Amino acid sequence: MDLKWTSKSLRNFESEISEIFNSGKIKAPVHLSDGNENELINIFKDISSSDWVLCSWRSHYQALLKGVPAEQVKSEIISGRSISLCFPEYRFFSSAIVGGHVSISIGIALHEKKKNTKNHVWCFLGDMTSETGVAQTSIRYAETHDLPITFVIEDNGLSVLTETRSVWASSTLRYEEIKSSKVVSFKYKSKYPHAGAGVRVQF
Amino acid sequence: MGHYQIELTKAMELLASNDKVIFIGQSVEVAGTLMRTTLENINPKKLIEMPVDEDFQMGVANGFALAGYIPISVFPRWNFLLLATNQIVNHLDKLKEISRLGVPPKVIIRTSIGSVKPLHPGPQHTGDFTDAFKLMCKNINIVRLDSHEQIVPQYRLALERDDGVCTLLVEWGDKYAE
């Protein structure tokens, strides 16, 4: 991980992006993070530069913590690529499709196991994604094949504005009901909306 | 064994000669499909039998490719491959644009228009979506193998090309006997 990042400096990065977005200089959606800084910093203490990190459309913090220079991340965001940030030289990929990166993570983990390396795959996903078929399949496959992968479920209880537990008519999600050695999780609340930075732009 | 099946078998052996190539799918390691008959000479270490979950399988193939392998992702019929459309259209076809890799990942997809002889399995097993996928994918070369003479050259091109274009090759199940 990039040890220089603190909760405050991460929040400051997103704050700057939110100001740039609200000024209309970013002609593409952004998905900002907030409220999960401490949890991510702790998780990234275990992530090495040769490990792989795969994310969803909300990945600014993870890219910074993986060691991608802030100016490079910022440049990509301003260029309109926040929604699917990829920095292959840092082994960092993301997908803007729900669950799209999850099975891809399994392929990379299988590769690392076949090559008998010590590299690990870290797959970040939200609570709604964690309920999808591909997430359930991937977690089970990772367990039964003992793949070098950890799924990090970041649970803000929402998918856009849909309440995950409400639509599943359940007070608990599968990751809470069936514990897995391949899954870590935390709950958080963000001050930012699903997309954008407060100035409503419907897309 | 007909010319079509012989050429497919040769093509699979050509692919397998590359150290980076692996084959993944249902009935690649164990018997069960016509396609499997063309993989019988392949080193079992290169064959990864997958659970039946087509989009999961295709995502795994894309992951292998990002990590440096050349996966051959095998779907016995077009109708089954439809279930992997997300990973093919939204991911593999877009990786060149979003991944910014100097050398874009390479995946070769193999599927078939299901045979209608000696048994006709009906409309859910005999579809041909070649033209539809050509419209949806701009970074995947999609070719229907109408003649046995196309098979080895097309697989060689798929394996050797370095322009970031992936490949989807479509067989005719009914031509295996020709």
Side-chain angles (χ1 to χ4, degrees), chain A residues 81 86 88 95 100 104 111 137, chain B residues 59 69 87 91 98-101:
Chain A
R81 288 189 277 272
C86 291
S95 169
I104 293 173
H111 164 271
T137 300
Chain B
Y69 273 98
Q87 282 292 340
H91 291 86
I98 69 170
S99 74
R100 306 169 74 89
L101 280 163

Side-chain angles (χ1 to χ4, degrees), chain A residues 52 54 76 81 84-89 93-108 110-112 114-115 133-134 137-138 141 145, chain B residues 19 22 45-51 53 55-69 86-87 90-92 95 97-102:
Chain A
W52 298 79
L54 288 96
E76 288 290 282
R81 288 189 277 272
S84 55
L85 290 178
C86 291
F87 302 99
E89 64 272 36
F93 290 91
S94 66
S95 169
I97 301 295
V98 171
H101 63 299
V102 180
S103 53
I104 293 173
S105 303
I106 293 291
I108 296 173
L110 270 169
H111 164 271
E112 296 296 346
K114 281 178 74 72
K115 291 287 187 184
V134 69
T137 300
S138 297
Y141 194 89
H145 290 78
Chain B
D19 290 341
I22 54 163
K45 290 181 179 176
K46 282 182 166 283
L47 307 174
I48 301 177
E49 190 77 9
M50 293 297 291
D53 186 331
D55 206 57
F56 174 72
Q57 173 189 319
M58 196 61 218
V60 171
N62 290 342
F64 265 121
L66 284 171
Y69 273 98
N86 164 53
Q87 282 292 340
N90 280 330
H91 291 86
L92 181 61
L95 280 175
E97 290 172 77
I98 69 170
S99 74
R100 306 169 74 89
L101 280 163

